[in-house]
Amino acid sequence: MMKRIKSKSRTAVLLAALTALCLTACGGGETEFKNLISEEKEEERVVNLFSPMEKTAPNAENVARTAADLTVAMAEEALDVSVAYWTYTAENYQDKTYDEVALDRARNNMDDLYLLNPDVILALGAEGKLMDLSGLDSAGNLREIIRTANTVDGKLVAIPQEVVAYGLFVNADLFRQYDLSLPETPEEFLECCRVFKENGIETPIGANRWWLETFVFALAYTDLYNGGNTEAEIAALNSGEARYSDYMRPGFEFLQTLIDRGYIDPEKALVSEAIEAEGPDFLAGKTPIVMAYWGAANTETAYGKTEFEMQVIGFPSSRGQMPVMPMTGWAVGAEAEHREDAARVLDRMVSDEALQLFSETNRVISPSKNVKVDCVPALRPLNDRIEEGIYVLGSNAGMNVEQWGNTCLIVRDLLGGATVEECMASFDRLQEAAMAGT
């Protein structure tokens, strides 16, 4: 359904939490597009923006703007442009995904500015459909991780407003009750799960169909991103000299062990939505471990208010607790009708001034190396690792096989009964297709 809504006052986009989902990269839904155009009078300079989230009623009074709203409003005011919002909604995941719709719209130059998942950034960047943003003033302030994750064929094609970090959310009270230290390695993690299960906690890990790949990335890429040879290892993968399946195997074998020992319920996880399924038992103190993204610790609708001490730590790895960081990003269509104005809008949205406001409002990690924000106490273990420069990327546009979405789908195959070998064969096919350019 297409609907156009006019507002008497300037409005902006509702793009809160890039949350889970990661924009629902693996799922889809019944689509609805709404044109939410701000106009007190017809504006001559308009930038069309496409995003995944619905906006609050544009003419509602005294509605608190989200962090992204505020940064767009800053750009509108500074540049004297009007931003028109086209939004995607998914009512169930049986139909088109956000990614499919975004690809189609970008390939047909239907909008100017897009919020994109990593797989779409990679695809459109490789097709030359995204503008090189390296010349923006704000690009000089980016952390190196942001450049690495959003560079395709030597071009910086997307910039996020936050760094999304995933970790293990643990009930520290339960760990203390059973004299357990928070785990650092896969072996320590398995021992914690054994103790919980032997003491009557039937399923120690609350899981869903979206985020189990975080375990895989922590085990697959700990050395690649923290061993000092990242560029060469990625080049070997892209050339076919190294196999993605060799990197992925330890993570899939670890997940299979969790399934075999009953620490994860694969049938439940396969049909469960993020937080909705595992959240109630975690909050009730019945499940000691769940996985989620940084922002879930900041909002009471997720895990921001617990009756026990919660800690957010990295995933087990050979190098200790490991944060996993996928990337979504804002991109400008290379052939978009209003691409120059769109680039200027984005430059304002990701300026240090705007990102300071965004980060303070949402209490998130900024992509700018110049912006620092205090985090809630529960997030300090995860934040400390990130500030030390210790993490793995869950997405990297410089890899010729898209990571986050593909791994999510192959993990679902494992949950559905596929063997580790069958899952590795899927990665081999993806790599072969990438090498063939298909």
Side-chain angles (χ1 to χ4, degrees):
M1 182 174 71
M2 192 88 69
K3 182 161 58 175
R4 179 173 179 160
I5 301 175
K6 294 184 179 180
S7 170
K8 293 182 180 179
S9 60
R10 273 180 112 82
T11 60
V13 67
L14 180 62
L15 288 171
L18 104 127
T19 73
L21 15 226
C22 223
L23 307 184
T24 329
C26 303
E30 188 175 326
T31 59
E32 180 182 22
F33 301 98
K34 299 179 180 180
N35 187 7
L36 305 173
I37 297 185
S38 309
E39 60 177 27
E40 189 167 343
K41 59 183 179 179
E42 284 299 321
E43 294 276 357
E44 208 170 19
R45 296 171 62 203
V46 176
V47 169
N48 292 300
L49 178 153
F50 182 64
S51 71
M53 298 291 185
E54 284 246 37
K55 191 185 173 350
T56 52
N59 56 355
E61 295 184 7
N62 299 320
V63 175
R65 288 191 172 193
T66 64
D69 275 325
L70 295 172
T71 65
V72 174
M74 288 172 67
E76 287 182 310
E77 183 67 26
L79 302 172
D80 193 27
V81 300
S82 181
V83 176
Y85 304 93
W86 292 89
T87 65
Y88 164 95
T89 61
E91 294 178 3
N92 66 58
Y93 52 84
Q94 302 294 319
D95 204 351
K96 282 188 176 181
T97 66
Y98 176 77
D99 288 352
E100 290 170 335
V101 176
L103 279 166
D104 181 65
R105 293 179 72 87
R107 285 167 174 161
N108 289 283
N109 302 313
M110 297 174 67
D111 310 285
D112 306 304
L113 185 59
Y114 301 86
L115 184 58
L116 301 176
N117 273 318
D119 50 341
V120 179
I121 292 171
L122 174 59
L124 293 175
E127 294 171 14
K129 291 293 185 180
L130 302 180
M131 179 183 285
D132 185 354
L133 305 174
S134 58
L136 300 185
D137 290 342
S138 57
N141 302 326
L142 295 176
R143 298 173 189 252
E144 192 58 35
I145 181 179
I146 304 301
R147 290 185 171 278
T148 299
N150 292 288
T151 296
V152 179
D153 295 335
K155 298 177 181 179
L156 177 66
V157 294
I159 301 176
Q161 286 189 303
E162 66 176 297
V163 176
V164 180
Y166 281 75
L168 291 174
F169 287 51
V170 302
N171 183 330
D173 291 350
L174 282 176
F175 276 80
R176 277 193 293 270
Q177 180 179 336
Y178 296 108
D179 296 320
L180 295 170
S181 298
L182 298 183
E184 299 275 346
T185 66
E187 294 76 19
E188 291 173 0
F189 186 85
L190 291 172
E191 176 61 14
C192 290
C193 290
R194 182 191 68 78
V195 172
F196 285 133
K197 195 168 182 69
E198 289 184 356
N199 282 277
I201 298 176
E202 185 176 350
T203 310
I205 306 167
N208 60 68
R209 68 195 189 98
W210 296 109
W211 296 337
L212 279 168
E213 67 267 31
T214 47
F215 281 101
V216 175
F217 289 126
L219 291 171
Y221 295 137
T222 285
D223 290 336
L224 184 148
Y225 286 113
N226 298 281
N229 201 34
T230 302
E231 187 175 337
E233 289 195 50
I234 291 176
L237 286 166
N238 288 341
S239 70
E241 179 184 345
R243 306 295 295 180
Y244 283 100
S245 57
D246 290 336
Y247 282 82
M248 292 294 183
R249 183 180 297 277
F252 275 80
E253 290 176 343
F254 185 71
L255 285 185
Q256 188 63 60
T257 298
L258 296 179
I259 292 170
D260 292 343
R261 297 185 184 181
Y263 301 155
I264 288 174
D265 182 340
E267 293 181 0
K268 182 179 179 181
L270 188 56
V271 297
S272 292
E273 294 302 321
I275 298 179
E276 291 179 10
E278 70 273 26
D281 280 349
F282 179 68
L283 293 172
K286 297 178 181 178
T287 300
I289 305 165
V290 294
M291 63 225 68
Y293 58 95
W294 176 283
N298 291 325
T299 173
E300 292 187 10
T301 58
Y303 302 133
K305 186 177 182 180
T306 63
E307 295 182 359
F308 51 83
E309 182 189 348
M310 182 180 74
Q311 293 286 303
V312 184
I313 64 175
F315 295 88
S317 81
S318 60
R319 294 178 182 262
Q321 297 171 3
M322 191 61 57
V324 174
M325 300 164 66
M327 297 283 170
T328 60
W330 288 102
V332 175
E335 301 172 3
E337 183 179 359
H338 312 111
R339 58 186 177 277
E340 298 301 332
D341 277 336
R344 283 189 281 269
V345 167
L346 179 56
D347 203 16
R348 289 282 181 167
M349 289 172 62
V350 295
S351 66
D352 279 353
E353 179 187 6
L355 291 178
Q356 186 71 46
L357 177 61
F358 185 99
S359 298
E360 288 176 353
T361 303
N362 280 2
R363 293 183 293 177
V364 296
I365 304 169
S366 176
S368 172
K369 59 191 176 187
N370 303 322
V371 175
K372 305 289 183 184
V373 177
D374 289 336
C375 62
V376 298
L379 286 166
R380 285 175 187 159
L382 194 70
N383 186 64
D384 288 348
R385 295 290 277 176
I386 294 168
E387 290 301 321
E388 291 170 22
I390 299 172
Y391 51 77
V392 302
L393 296 182
S395 60
N396 188 331
M399 289 180 165
N400 61 4
V401 173
E402 189 278 323
Q403 298 292 296
W404 187 264
N406 282 322
T407 307
C408 173
L409 293 174
I410 298 172
V411 165
R412 288 187 193 172
D413 291 340
L414 188 75
L415 294 174
T419 66
V420 170
E421 291 304 322
E422 288 169 335
C423 292
M424 295 306 99
S426 294
F427 280 108
D428 287 340
R429 285 192 293 272
L430 287 170
Q431 187 168 13
E432 289 162 5
M435 295 293 298
T438 59

